[in-house]
Amino acid sequence: MNIRYVIRQLGLLCIVLSLVMLAVAFAAALIWDKSTGPARHPFWAFLASACLGSLLGGVMWYASQPDSKTLGRREALLLTALSWLVGAALSGLPFYLWTVLGSATGHRFSQPINCYFEAMSGLTTTGATTLIGIEQLPHTLLLWRATTQWLGGLGIVVLFVAVLPGLGMVGKRMYSAEMAGPDKEGITPQIHETAQVLWLIYLGLTVAETVALRLAGMTWFDAVCHTFATMATGGFSTRDSSVGGYEPLSVTIIIIVFMVLAGVNFGLYFQLIHGRLRAIWNDVELRAYLAILLVASAVVVVSIADEAIVMTDGRQYEPGWGRAIRDGVFTTVSLQTATGFCTADFDRWPFVAKAVLVMIMFVGGSAGSTAGGIKVIRVVVAFKVMASELERAFRPNVVRPIKVGNATVTPELRQGTIAFVLGWILLFGAGTGALMVFEPVGAMDMTTAATASITCLSNVGPGLAKVGAVENFAWLSAPSKLALCLLMVTGRLGVFAILVLLHPRFWRSR
Amino acid sequence: MNIRYVIRQLGLLCIVLSLVMLAVAFAAALIWDKSTGPARHPFWAFLASACLGSLLGGVMWYASQPDSKTLGRREALLLTALSWLVGAALSGLPFYLWTVLGSATGHRFSQPINCYFEAMSGLTTTGATTLIGIEQLPHTLLLWRATTQWLGGLGIVVLFVAVLPGLGMVGKRMYSAEMAGPDKEGITPQIHETAQVLWLIYLGLTVAETVALRLAGMTWFDAVCHTFATMATGGFSTRDSSVGGYEPLSVTIIIIVFMVLAGVNFGLYFQLIHGRLRAIWNDVELRAYLAILLVASAVVVVSIADEAIVMTDGRQYEPGWGRAIRDGVFTTVSLQTATGFCTADFDRWPFVAKAVLVMIMFVGGSAGSTAGGIKVIRVVVAFKVMASELERAFRPNVVRPIKVGNATVTPELRQGTIAFVLGWILLFGAGTGALMVFEPVGAMDMTTAATASITCLSNVGPGLAKVGAVENFAWLSAPSKLALCLLMVTGRLGVFAILVLLHPRFWRSR
């Protein structure tokens, strides 16, 4: 285990994060948080955090002179895991320092665990928050919150691959880890150029959505923050009522479109640029992804058509198809892509709607997108494997190849995929149990525990009941929050990425 | 598909069931239900049912002259599934006719769905009941209830193999279906003799427990009924308060011992008879089974040591180690072996105890026993597969064989095992969802739905909350009861046995 090289790269990450932090603080201070006095506190908090971060990063960088620059698979996995675990600590620091500088002892960010939770929720593009009164937060903090999501969405890893061309093999390996799904053809070769193209695509979509939201009536600030959260399928908003606070239908539609786009395999945009439309049309995962979105939306819309819709800001609408379609589709897209924006309080919806929403939380978006969950392609393969197992019960000697498009799924991948799905469900169960145990008797119910567990594991954001659309995660105990942080990073990196660190053989050379 | 031969065998089953029914009715009428008048109603109900059953069976037998006597795997699966589905209908018939003859329109058995549920619960050795006031039921009905469990436990299938030596290959194939787990060495050859030996072992253990319970102070009738329910890991009692109604410590201990014995792979008794003690000592599943029982019991006992114990008959005990050990161990053994006898109302226990109890409901007993659940050996293999998948994340080229004892688990079995576990969990989820949808809004909570689903799928009996130790299943709607019946038979036959019938290729010749 080339641990020195891991630490060195981690140091680099801290420096890069600090620089971004600084840029955000300067931008916000120049444009939005112009007043002096208490409003300046966030700027100093960010300056101090950035200094601390780059100092720490510099020490890690210079102190770890690696024997070689080879980064094996184990090193890559360790680095990925530590990037998120350490990155969240650094990203949460300015939240905490802001309360210290401003002597805001009563604020939720005065508890370090809340800052860590918020930063982890940001970097993993989850969007679960411990905050209430989000509107009163200085613009600097809100922008940083959104930026952590945007960074997480692109993947600190892809950032590393794009920004630092000197890593060679690392790029390829970490990239495939970030892809978190069966490889797509045409993505892996020339990883460096590909990563740069992806970065530009991400940037292009970001600019497009920001302009669209501005034209739809949002302020530039809200447009930027919501775009960051959309493209990352994160879900942090600048308001307590989330997207429910914005009246125009155009805002809802724009965000729906870009959530769907963010949940598509980014490799397909690569194909699009190269004009390979047939490849896109034939993509099994894209078809399945859109089909699930369509069917789930239809079921949700029909099941709430007779219900009064209560918005996240308390407004209430009479039952009707208009609102049912608008909020049903928005919520379905938001939860399947694991964005987690809310317009209506779906916790009040009938059981069928909630059951469908929880199911699609498990499914998630496409592999190679910023979306969370098990991922559509895995669900498709898992279904095919289960069907073939069923057939084996009565035709043990018939071996039928399992195909996804033109590619045959290897036996290793078959086993790997259902192991992944089983692992996801077991982690969901373990998370639910942990929350029940960590909270005092009577404070936690099964629905809350179960949906908090899956919403964090699948990087969605809101759950049901006490962690529903109009609730937040502040009331949970510190152990519960830590457990949820672990679920978020485990889910973000694909079940095995964190668990491997617990495998005894991971630390042995053989 | 040799459908005629399937129907013919099904006819035979109906005839055999009718004969047993008749024997039970005569025995009960001669010994216990001697009075004339209303007490005779059950006898006539059984006589009518037996006549109807053997008539139906006879027609099926004679009308289906098969072209050949070859019974393929598909035919065997279909026959197994139909045996339980049709067998439950016939077994539930006397319950229903009893209310018709006695004009007991208010009784729960006057609803056919309750009769079917009760009979299915019996034949699948589940033990979930729709009854209250069990003590007031005539002895004939109580004995029949217990007998359905005993029959189910031995396996109508094994009965067929032992009683009817003319089936040749059928025996072997159905036997391996009934084993519902990786084959044990030494069991499969000479299936006919083996089945007879197993039958004698089952009978021997039954006699031993009956005598033991009689000596411990139970009446002969109660001893027989409880023994039938213990050996089948069924859990039907002759009292509403289940085993909680019997004071003596010796009763508790005897039932614990025989529940543990019933949850052991019966192949091991075969080894015992042949003096192969080393094979027993080295058996991986036996060790894991006892280890899980031990650890789970310890956790449950410790977690309830500070709690007042409320018994199923309402008696209450002060907190203390004595009762905690007695009722903690009894409940753990009862739920892991999927028996479902209750002494204390474990629904009042702390979350940790309940969580452990639900977890071991999933695990279940050993393969090749009468116990339910996923089965210990599958859990062991699944764990090893998951660990190997974890290792593959960082060492993709290292292939380590997975061993159970001396045997290597084949890739097919690895995939098959985790597919089985995943299937179990998905069925559990589907069952939970179905119950939530089938019940009116507000009548069903998540805990009730989830534990009702797993307790029926794993053939345990009681669940938590509204289907807890002192509750019953009568309040559920008919669709819910039907769904639970399907879960019971699906779980009893090993997930795929019922689902295969839904596979389109099952009905195609190729």
Side-chain angles (χ1 to χ4, degrees):
Chain A
M1 177 78 80
N2 191 349
I3 202 98
R4 284 190 186 168
Y5 197 56
V6 171
I7 294 176
R8 191 178 172 89
Q9 296 301 328
L10 204 60
L12 197 59
L13 166 79
C14 290
I15 294 170
V16 171
L17 256 186
S18 301
L19 291 178
V20 177
M21 208 180 272
L22 216 57
V24 165
F26 269 109
L30 284 174
I31 308 174
W32 295 292
D33 286 340
K34 286 186 196 161
S35 55
T36 49
R40 277 278 173 240
H41 290 147
F43 180 76
W44 297 119
F46 278 80
L47 191 64
S49 303
C51 288
L52 260 167
S54 43
L55 189 72
L56 182 79
V59 169
M60 286 163 83
W61 171 266
Y62 283 107
S64 329
Q65 295 292 348
D67 305 327
S68 76
K69 287 199 174 182
T70 52
L71 205 66
R73 206 163 168 113
R74 289 187 299 154
E75 285 83 358
L77 280 165
L78 183 62
L79 178 54
T80 312
L82 288 179
S83 294
W84 259 267
L85 293 171
V86 175
L90 181 55
S91 303
L93 191 58
F95 297 144
Y96 181 67
L97 291 183
W98 169 67
T99 64
V100 174
L101 292 175
S103 313
T105 46
H107 195 275
R108 286 170 178 186
F109 278 158
S110 63
Q111 293 174 39
I113 181 67
N114 286 350
C115 302
Y116 190 73
F117 182 93
E118 198 82 10
M120 184 60 93
S121 173
L123 287 178
T124 57
T125 78
T126 304
T129 186
T130 57
L131 292 178
I132 195 124
I134 296 174
E135 288 90 338
Q136 281 104 55
L137 236 58
H139 285 63
T140 318
L141 266 71
L142 289 176
L143 185 62
W144 176 240
R145 252 172 116 238
T147 306
T148 56
Q149 298 215 310
W150 195 72
L151 286 177
L154 180 57
I156 299 186
V157 174
V158 175
L159 176 76
F160 256 50
V161 175
V163 175
L164 311 160
L167 294 181
M169 277 307 288
V170 191
K172 183 165 184 186
R173 283 191 177 147
M174 298 186 69
Y175 189 69
S176 75
E178 171 63 7
M179 286 289 288
D183 281 10
K184 293 274 160 179
E185 316 150 37
I187 297 290
T188 35
Q190 297 130 343
I191 193 73
H192 176 207
E193 294 98 291
T194 310
Q196 276 187 327
V197 173
L198 290 178
W199 163 265
L200 288 173
I201 292 166
Y202 194 68
L203 206 63
L205 287 170
T206 303
V207 171
E209 189 188 348
T210 309
V211 172
L213 287 178
R214 178 71 188 89
L215 292 177
M218 275 194 178
T219 63
W220 277 114
F221 181 77
D222 283 1
V224 167
C225 288
H226 283 89
T227 295
F228 279 9
T230 310
M231 285 314 301
T233 67
F236 276 156
S237 175
T238 53
R239 300 191 183 178
D240 283 341
S241 56
S242 188
V243 178
Y246 298 90
E247 299 268 1
L249 175 62
S250 52
V251 168
T252 313
I253 292 174
I254 291 166
I255 293 179
I256 288 177
V257 169
F258 281 90
M259 286 193 295
V260 172
L261 291 176
V264 169
N265 188 321
F266 274 59
L268 291 182
Y269 296 123
F270 195 75
Q271 308 278 22
L272 188 68
I273 290 171
H274 288 73
R276 301 194 200 109
L277 294 179
R278 182 169 294 275
I280 297 173
W281 175 252
N282 287 332
D283 191 72
V284 173
E285 185 174 28
L286 181 64
R287 289 181 179 193
Y289 166 63
L290 295 177
I292 297 172
L293 271 182
L294 215 64
V295 173
S297 295
V299 175
V300 169
V301 168
V302 169
S303 71
I304 63 171
D306 294 338
E307 305 281 325
I309 304 284
V310 179
M311 304 299 284
T312 45
D313 61 0
R315 278 176 300 141
Q316 194 160 345
Y317 291 98
E318 290 302 300
W321 285 100
R323 287 308 310 189
I325 292 173
R326 181 172 169 177
D327 297 312
V329 172
F330 184 92
T331 305
T332 308
V333 172
S334 172
L335 296 192
Q336 185 177 350
T337 58
T339 310
F341 278 140
C342 304
T343 55
D345 182 5
F346 53 83
D347 197 40
R348 297 163 180 265
W349 291 357
F351 174 77
V352 173
K354 290 194 281 190
V356 169
L357 292 175
V358 171
M359 272 198 289
I360 57 171
M361 280 193 196
F362 276 92
V363 175
S366 309
S369 75
T370 60
I374 290 171
K375 303 282 156 51
V376 171
I377 189 70
R378 283 207 193 83
V379 173
V380 170
V381 173
F383 257 100
K384 292 192 176 193
V385 174
M386 298 301 281
S388 82
E389 280 297 320
L390 210 53
E391 183 171 5
R392 203 153 70 184
F394 57 89
R395 285 212 185 86
N397 302 320
V398 175
V399 179
R400 260 177 243 277
I402 294 180
K403 292 206 158 198
V404 174
N406 293 322
T408 304
V409 180
T410 64
E412 287 77 32
L413 198 53
R414 291 158 76 141
Q415 181 180 312
T417 304
I418 47 175
F420 187 100
V421 175
L422 182 58
W424 199 270
I425 294 172
L426 292 180
L427 275 173
F428 155 68
T432 307
L435 295 186
M436 293 295 293
V437 173
F438 290 159
E439 297 301 315
V441 176
M444 185 59 107
D445 60 285
M446 280 306 284
T447 305
T448 303
T451 56
S453 179
I454 188 57
T455 204
C456 285
L457 182 63
S458 284
N459 303 122
V460 181
L464 296 174
K466 287 175 166 181
V467 292
V470 295
E471 305 289 334
N472 63 73
F473 287 75
W475 60 277
L476 289 160
S477 67
S480 293
K481 283 175 190 155
L482 261 183
L484 291 177
C485 285
L486 281 176
L487 283 180
M488 288 190 242
V489 62
T490 307
R492 180 74 282 183
L493 303 178
V495 169
F496 293 133
I498 297 293
L499 291 178
V500 285
L501 308 185
L502 305 175
H503 197 295
R505 288 218 186 89
F506 184 82
W507 302 101
R508 284 189 224 142
S509 53
R510 215 38 332 246
Chain B
M1 178 78 82
N2 193 348
I3 204 96
R4 285 191 184 167
Y5 197 56
V6 171
I7 294 175
R8 191 177 173 90
Q9 296 301 328
L10 204 60
L12 197 60
L13 166 79
C14 290
I15 295 169
V16 172
L17 255 185
S18 302
L19 292 178
V20 178
M21 208 180 273
L22 216 55
V24 164
F26 270 108
L30 285 175
I31 310 175
W32 295 292
D33 286 339
K34 286 185 200 162
S35 55
T36 50
R40 277 277 175 238
H41 291 149
F43 180 77
W44 297 120
F46 277 81
L47 191 64
S49 303
C51 289
L52 259 168
S54 43
L55 190 72
L56 183 78
V59 169
M60 285 162 84
W61 171 266
Y62 283 107
S64 330
Q65 295 294 349
D67 307 325
S68 78
K69 287 199 174 182
T70 53
L71 205 65
R73 204 162 172 114
R74 288 187 298 156
E75 284 83 359
L77 281 165
L78 183 62
L79 178 55
T80 312
L82 289 179
S83 295
W84 259 266
L85 293 171
V86 174
L90 180 54
S91 303
L93 192 58
F95 297 144
Y96 180 67
L97 290 184
W98 169 67
T99 63
V100 173
L101 291 175
S103 313
T105 45
H107 197 274
R108 286 172 179 187
F109 278 158
S110 62
Q111 293 173 42
I113 182 68
N114 286 349
C115 302
Y116 190 73
F117 183 92
E118 199 82 8
M120 183 60 93
S121 174
L123 287 178
T124 57
T125 78
T126 304
T129 185
T130 57
L131 292 178
I132 195 119
I134 295 173
E135 290 88 339
Q136 280 104 56
L137 236 58
H139 285 64
T140 318
L141 267 69
L142 289 175
L143 186 60
W144 176 240
R145 252 173 113 240
T147 306
T148 56
Q149 297 215 312
W150 194 74
L151 287 177
L154 180 58
I156 298 184
V157 174
V158 175
L159 174 77
F160 256 50
V161 175
V163 174
L164 311 160
L167 293 181
M169 278 306 290
V170 191
K172 181 165 185 185
R173 285 194 175 144
M174 296 187 69
Y175 189 70
S176 75
E178 172 61 5
M179 286 288 288
D183 279 12
K184 294 274 162 182
E185 315 153 38
I187 298 291
T188 38
Q190 297 129 344
I191 194 71
H192 178 206
E193 293 97 294
T194 310
Q196 276 188 327
V197 173
L198 290 178
W199 164 265
L200 287 173
I201 292 167
Y202 194 68
L203 206 63
L205 286 169
T206 302
V207 171
E209 190 188 347
T210 309
V211 173
L213 286 178
R214 177 72 188 90
L215 293 177
M218 274 192 179
T219 63
W220 277 115
F221 181 77
D222 283 0
V224 166
C225 288
H226 283 89
T227 295
F228 279 8
T230 311
M231 285 313 300
T233 67
F236 276 155
S237 175
T238 53
R239 300 192 182 179
D240 283 341
S241 55
S242 189
V243 178
Y246 298 90
E247 297 267 0
L249 177 60
S250 52
V251 168
T252 313
I253 291 173
I254 290 166
I255 293 180
I256 287 177
V257 169
F258 281 90
M259 286 194 292
V260 172
L261 291 176
V264 169
N265 189 321
F266 274 59
L268 291 181
Y269 296 122
F270 196 75
Q271 307 280 18
L272 188 68
I273 290 170
H274 288 76
R276 302 193 200 111
L277 293 179
R278 182 170 295 274
I280 297 172
W281 174 251
N282 288 331
D283 190 73
V284 173
E285 185 173 30
L286 181 65
R287 290 181 177 192
Y289 167 62
L290 295 176
I292 296 172
L293 271 182
L294 215 65
V295 172
S297 296
V299 174
V300 169
V301 168
V302 169
S303 71
I304 62 169
D306 294 338
E307 306 280 328
I309 303 283
V310 180
M311 304 300 283
T312 44
D313 61 359
R315 282 176 297 139
Q316 194 161 343
Y317 291 99
E318 291 301 301
W321 284 99
R323 286 306 314 187
I325 291 172
R326 180 172 169 176
D327 297 311
V329 172
F330 184 91
T331 306
T332 308
V333 172
S334 171
L335 296 194
Q336 186 177 347
T337 59
T339 309
F341 278 142
C342 305
T343 55
D345 181 7
F346 53 83
D347 196 40
R348 297 162 180 264
W349 292 358
F351 174 77
V352 173
K354 288 193 282 189
V356 169
L357 293 175
V358 171
M359 272 197 291
I360 58 172
M361 279 193 197
F362 275 93
V363 175
S366 309
S369 76
T370 61
I374 290 170
K375 304 284 155 49
V376 171
I377 189 70
R378 284 208 193 84
V379 173
V380 170
V381 172
F383 256 101
K384 293 192 177 193
V385 173
M386 296 302 279
S388 83
E389 279 296 321
L390 211 52
E391 184 171 5
R392 204 154 69 182
F394 57 89
R395 284 211 187 87
N397 302 320
V398 175
V399 180
R400 264 176 241 276
I402 294 180
K403 292 205 158 197
V404 174
N406 294 323
T408 304
V409 180
T410 63
E412 286 75 34
L413 198 52
R414 292 158 76 143
Q415 182 181 312
T417 306
I418 44 173
F420 187 98
V421 175
L422 182 58
W424 199 271
I425 294 173
L426 293 180
L427 275 173
F428 155 68
T432 308
L435 295 186
M436 293 294 294
V437 173
F438 291 158
E439 295 302 315
V441 176
M444 185 60 107
D445 59 285
M446 278 308 283
T447 305
T448 302
T451 57
S453 178
I454 188 60
T455 205
C456 286
L457 182 63
S458 284
N459 303 122
V460 180
L464 297 174
K466 287 177 168 178
V467 291
V470 294
E471 305 290 336
N472 63 71
F473 287 76
W475 60 278
L476 288 161
S477 67
S480 294
K481 282 175 191 156
L482 261 183
L484 291 176
C485 285
L486 280 175
L487 282 179
M488 288 189 241
V489 63
T490 307
R492 179 74 284 180
L493 303 179
V495 170
F496 293 133
I498 297 293
L499 290 179
V500 285
L501 308 185
L502 304 175
H503 197 296
R505 287 218 187 86
F506 184 83
W507 302 100
R508 282 187 226 145
S509 53
R510 221 29 340 243

